[in-house]
Amino acid sequence: MTSRCAAASSISASRTLAQVLSALALEVPDTDVLLRIVDRVPAAVAIVRGPELRYTLVNQAYASIPPEPVPMLGRTIADVFPGIPAEQLAAIERVWRTGEPLSLRQHRSIYARGDRETFWDVEFIPLQATGRTVDGVLIIAQEVTRQVRAERSGEELRTSEARLAIALEAADVGAWSMLGGSRRFIVSQRAAALQGLEADTPLGLDEALAVVHPDDRAMMADRIDRAIAEKGTLEVEYRLNPAAVPQGGDPEGERWFAARGRWMPDGTLGGTPEGGQMFGIVRDVTARRRADAERERLIARMSADNARFEALVDSMPAGVMVAEAPGGRIIYGNRRVEEILRHGVLPSLDVGSYGEWVGWHPDGRLVGPREWPLARALEGEVVAGDEFLYRRGDGSTAWIRVSGAPIVDAAGAIIGSVVALYDIDREKRAEAALRGSEERVRKVVDSKDMLLKEVNHRVKNSLQLVASLLNLQGRQIDDARSRQAFQDAVSRVNAIAQVHEQLYKNDDVRRVEFGSYLQTLCTLYGGGGNVAIRTEPVEVPTDSAIPLGLLAVELLTNALKHAGPGMAGRPVEISFGRTDGDALRLTVRDHGPGIAPHFLDPRNRRRSDSLGMRLIESLAAQLDAALSVDNLDPGARWTLVLPAAA
C-alpha cells in the first residue's frame, strides 16, 4: 500500500515538473541560461528539435544516463541510444509530429547498472513555438528503480504469505505466535477453529492453556517456559480439554494436538526473554494417535496368533521352513527341521546363500542354490516332492524328500515360499541294502511298498495338517481377498494329499487310478454346486497324477469362482478319458460369462498376475500336454490333451 501511494505521489510530482519545464523552455530562448536552470532540477532533462530529433539541450543528469560518456548535442536520439527499440523511437517521433504528449511509467532502460535492471518514468512533451506548430520535444526522465524493486518485493512478500496460508490450509495446520515477555498468544483462523479459540485476538497464557486438558496443562506450561528460557524449539503433544471441543468437532474420545514452535530473536531488544517471539504451528493428530493405538493392538494380537501357529507347526512330523520374497531370506524353521538335518536352521540371507545347505541329486549332481525347492517355489513352481541326499550337521548323509509351494497375498503376488521336508533315509537305506539277491529283492520290494504306503499315509496326514493350519489361519483374516488366497492354498495342498491317499490305498504305488481320484476331487471342491462328472477308469503314473490333479482343481475352482455354481440343466461339466488315438483328454466346461479375450493367448496366461493362470500353464508344461481354452455361448471350455505315453 505504501509503495502504491509513493508511486502516485511521484507521478503527480513528475507532471508538475513537466509543466514548469515546458513553460521555461518556451519562455527562456537562451539555451545557456536554460541549461543552468535545468542542471539544478532533480531529473534528467533534454530537448530535441526537428524531424530528426536532434539534441539541442542536455543537462548533466541526462548526460550520465549511458554507462559510458557519449556526445549528445547535435546528434539524434538514435545515434545516442543505438539500442532503443524502433517502436519507442516511432512513438517519440509521433509526439513531434502530432503535438500529443507521451508518458512512459516504470520504463525499463536499455542500460543496466551492473547486472541489475534500471527503470525510469519518462515524459515527452511537445514544445510549440508559434500557434500549433511543434518546434521540439522536451524530455524529462526520473529514475524509479528503487520504487519498482520495492513494489516487486512487496508483491513477492504478499505472494509468499498467500502461498503459506494456502499450504497451511491444505495441510489442515494452524499457525500461532507468542511474545516471550508477556506470554501473549495470537492464533490464526485455522488454529482457532481447531481448538475453539478466538482468531487474531491476543490471548494470555492462562486463556490459551484453558483449551488444554487439565492433566496436560502443567506439562505444557513447563515446556513453553523451557523453550523461551533456552531460546530454542517447542515440540509437544497434548490433549484438548473435553469442554473446549469446537463446534462440529468429534465429541467422542480424546482429541490430540501437536504443537511445534521456534524462538525468533528480536534484534532491537537485545538478548533478554522479552527480546523475541516464538512462532509455530499446531495440527490435529487424533487420527495418528488412534492409528498408533490400533497398530499396537494388532501387533499384540498377531504375536499371540504367531505363538499359536508356531506351536502347531512344531507338533508336525515334517520339517517346515519359510522364506520371504523376493530375496529368499529364511525367516522360519520348526523344531523338526533340526531333528531331521541334525543342525539348526541356517540363517541364509538370500537364495545365493542356499549353497550352505549341501545336498546331491539322486544322479550324484551337487544341488545348486537355486535348485532347492524353497528357491524354486519363490519363482512360482509347485514342487510335489523331490528327493535329495543331504549332508547332516554331524557329517553323516541321509535321504530327504522336500515338497514346496509359493505363498501369495490377496492380489496373487508371491510374498514367500514354504517347504515341508521328510526323513526318508530308512526307506532309501533299506532299498540299497536289499539289492543282493532275488529273495532279498522281493522282501525289499514288499518292505518298500509298505514303507511307501506308510510314507504316503504320513505325507497325506501331514499335508492335511498343513491344510488345516492354513485354513485355521485364513479364518482369522478379515480381508476377503486374503482369505480366498488361503482357501486356494488349502485346495492345492489337499489335492496333493489326495494323491498320497490313493497311493497308500493302492497295491501299485507307482500308478493312480485317476478316474476315481477325479471323482473325489470334484466331490471335495465342487463347492455344493451342480457338477456333472464323466470319467473312465484310467491309471496314470504317480508323477503325472499330482500335477494333473492340481490342474483339475485349478480349472474346477476357477469355473466355480468366476462362472458361479452350476444349475440344473447347466452344470459345470468335467470329463476325463482316452481319445481314439489313446491319448488322455481332460475337459472342464462352465456356462458363465466366458474367459477374458486376452487369456485366450497362452503367452498372456503365462505372463498373468494371476497365480492360478500361471499354475495352469506351468502344470500343463510339466505334463508335456497341449492346453487350449475356447469361449462358447455361453461359458468357456478348457481342454487338456496328454500324450499317449501317459
Side-chain angles (χ1 to χ4, degrees):
M1 186 67 182
T2 303
S3 61
R4 291 195 183 99
C5 292
S9 175
S10 175
I11 292 171
S12 176
S14 295
R15 289 175 178 170
T16 302
L17 179 61
Q19 292 171 355
V20 171
L21 291 178
S22 61
L24 282 173
L26 294 174
E27 296 297 331
V28 181
D30 189 328
T31 301
D32 291 338
V33 174
L34 183 59
L35 181 59
R36 286 196 296 272
I37 295 173
V38 297
D39 267 340
R40 298 177 179 274
V41 173
V45 181
I47 296 176
V48 293
R49 298 185 185 275
E52 294 181 347
L53 303 177
R54 293 184 180 276
Y55 286 100
T56 60
L57 183 142
V58 177
N59 74 346
Q60 186 176 356
Y62 194 94
S64 64
I65 290 177
E68 299 293 336
V70 177
M72 293 187 180
L73 292 177
R75 302 180 68 191
T76 66
I77 293 177
D79 292 336
V80 174
F81 299 103
I84 189 171
E87 61 271 15
Q88 184 178 337
L89 189 60
I92 300 172
E93 291 173 349
R94 192 160 48 249
V95 174
W96 183 86
R97 191 171 59 253
T98 63
E100 296 180 358
L102 171 67
S103 297
L104 300 178
R105 299 298 173 204
Q106 297 185 354
H107 172 66
R108 186 173 62 184
S109 172
I110 62 175
Y111 299 118
R113 185 175 292 113
D115 59 349
R116 307 186 70 177
E117 299 173 323
T118 59
F119 297 87
W120 299 76
D121 283 348
V122 188
E123 298 281 350
F124 298 92
I125 304 166
L127 299 176
Q128 296 175 340
T130 57
R132 300 180 61 84
T133 302
V134 176
D135 181 53
V137 178
L138 173 64
I139 304 173
I140 304 174
Q142 291 183 299
E143 185 175 1
V144 292
T145 302
R146 186 171 299 175
Q147 173 187 325
V148 171
R149 290 176 182 167
E151 289 180 359
R152 289 184 177 180
S153 297
E155 187 64 30
E156 291 175 357
L157 179 60
R158 287 189 292 273
T159 301
S160 297
E161 290 176 346
R163 288 175 179 169
L164 177 60
I166 293 172
L168 291 175
E169 185 70 22
D172 200 21
V173 173
W176 55 269
S177 64
M178 179 191 66
L179 291 173
S182 62
R183 305 296 200 274
R184 303 287 287 179
F185 282 85
I186 295 180
V187 297
S188 68
Q189 293 281 352
R190 186 56 191 155
L194 286 171
Q195 302 179 100
L197 294 168
E198 293 187 22
D200 301 323
T201 301
L203 302 170
L205 180 60
D206 291 340
E207 294 176 276
L209 292 179
V211 301
V212 178
H213 194 285
D215 294 342
D216 295 344
R217 286 177 191 166
M219 175 272 296
M220 188 74 171
D222 178 69
R223 294 285 185 86
I224 292 172
D225 289 341
R226 190 187 311 168
I228 293 175
E230 296 175 355
K231 300 182 179 60
T233 59
L234 173 68
E235 293 189 13
V236 62
E237 293 190 3
Y238 59 92
R239 291 168 292 176
L240 190 67
N241 189 343
V245 175
Q247 187 175 3
D250 181 7
E252 298 182 2
E254 293 180 332
R255 293 189 62 198
W256 283 85
F257 286 84
R260 304 287 185 272
R262 180 177 294 276
W263 177 263
M264 301 293 289
D266 183 354
T268 62
L269 297 178
T272 63
E274 291 75 18
Q277 299 185 52
M278 182 164 283
F279 295 90
I281 59 172
V282 62
R283 59 191 178 93
D284 191 332
V285 295
T286 303
R288 174 177 62 77
R289 280 280 188 162
R290 291 176 180 174
D292 289 345
E294 178 65 14
R295 184 178 69 251
E296 293 298 327
R297 186 186 69 80
L298 289 175
I299 290 174
R301 177 182 171 185
M302 289 172 62
S303 297
D305 291 344
N306 286 339
R308 287 193 294 269
F309 175 76
E310 290 184 8
L312 288 172
V313 174
D314 271 341
S315 66
M316 291 176 57
V320 177
M321 290 194 299
V322 179
E324 64 179 5
R329 183 172 69 92
I330 296 177
I331 58 175
Y332 176 75
N334 70 347
R335 173 182 50 81
R336 185 64 178 142
V337 171
E338 184 173 354
E339 294 175 355
I340 294 174
L341 304 183
R342 299 183 183 177
H343 63 67
V345 177
L346 303 178
S348 302
L349 297 179
D350 52 35
V351 171
S353 303
Y354 288 4
E356 58 189 348
W357 302 78
V358 181
W360 295 267
H361 292 283
D363 60 6
R365 292 181 298 110
L366 185 68
V367 181
R370 297 189 177 277
E371 292 180 310
W372 287 110
L374 195 63
R376 290 154 57 191
L378 285 173
E379 301 297 328
E381 182 180 351
V382 176
V383 182
D386 286 1
E387 296 179 355
F388 305 97
L389 182 63
Y390 187 79
R391 188 174 69 191
R392 295 185 291 196
D394 59 3
S396 63
T397 57
W399 285 94
I400 58 173
R401 179 178 291 129
V402 186
S403 299
I407 302 172
V408 299
D409 62 12
I414 295 176
I415 59 173
S417 62
V418 59
V419 295
L421 57 94
Y422 306 89
D423 184 352
I424 60 169
D425 191 59
R426 279 200 312 168
E427 170 193 337
K428 285 290 187 178
R429 301 291 181 190
E431 181 181 337
L434 295 177
R435 288 178 184 157
S437 65
E438 186 176 346
E439 181 64 23
R440 292 178 62 193
V441 168
R442 266 199 313 272
K443 292 181 180 179
V444 168
V445 170
D446 294 339
S447 176
K448 176 183 175 183
D449 288 342
M450 292 183 62
L451 287 172
L452 283 175
K453 286 186 178 183
E454 179 63 18
V455 168
N456 285 313
H457 184 64
R458 293 185 180 185
V459 169
K460 190 266 293 188
N461 290 342
S462 297
L463 289 174
Q464 285 184 338
L465 181 56
V466 171
S468 299
L469 292 175
L470 290 173
N471 199 24
L472 177 63
Q473 193 73 13
R475 290 176 183 175
Q476 298 178 352
I477 297 176
D478 296 329
D479 181 71
R481 293 179 63 186
S482 299
R483 189 165 56 252
Q484 183 61 47
F486 268 79
Q487 291 173 357
D488 291 344
V490 170
S491 299
R492 293 163 186 149
V493 171
N494 277 331
I496 299 174
Q498 287 301 315
V499 172
H500 288 284
E501 182 176 10
Q502 292 287 331
L503 288 174
Y504 81 76
K505 288 182 177 179
N506 288 352
D507 292 333
D508 187 356
V509 296
R510 294 169 298 177
R511 304 185 70 81
V512 174
E513 201 287 284
F514 196 78
S516 60
Y517 170 54
L518 185 59
Q519 292 274 357
T520 302
L521 291 180
C522 292
T523 301
L524 287 174
Y525 305 110
N530 191 358
V531 181
I533 310 168
R534 186 174 68 256
T535 64
E536 298 177 9
V538 178
E539 289 190 345
V540 298
T542 302
D543 292 340
S544 299
I546 291 177
L548 186 58
L550 282 172
L551 198 149
V553 169
E554 286 296 328
L555 294 178
L556 173 59
T557 57
N558 188 61
L560 294 173
K561 185 188 304 181
H562 299 291
M567 300 174 293
R570 304 183 73 182
V572 175
E573 300 170 4
I574 299 178
S575 66
F576 174 77
R578 292 199 179 273
T579 65
D580 293 339
D582 210 31
L584 295 178
R585 178 189 290 128
L586 171 69
T587 62
V588 179
R589 190 261 168 93
D590 62 62
H591 295 82
I595 192 169
H598 70 280
F599 280 145
L600 296 175
D601 188 342
R603 292 173 297 179
N604 292 335
R605 296 196 293 271
R606 286 191 290 269
R607 293 193 297 261
S608 169
D609 291 333
S610 167
L611 178 62
M613 285 294 180
R614 297 201 307 273
L615 275 177
I616 290 171
E617 285 296 320
S618 174
L619 293 169
Q622 184 177 340
L623 291 166
D624 197 23
L627 177 67
S628 62
V629 59
D630 303 295
N631 270 328
L632 306 178
D633 188 14
R637 179 179 62 204
W638 292 83
T639 303
L640 182 81
V641 178
L642 282 77

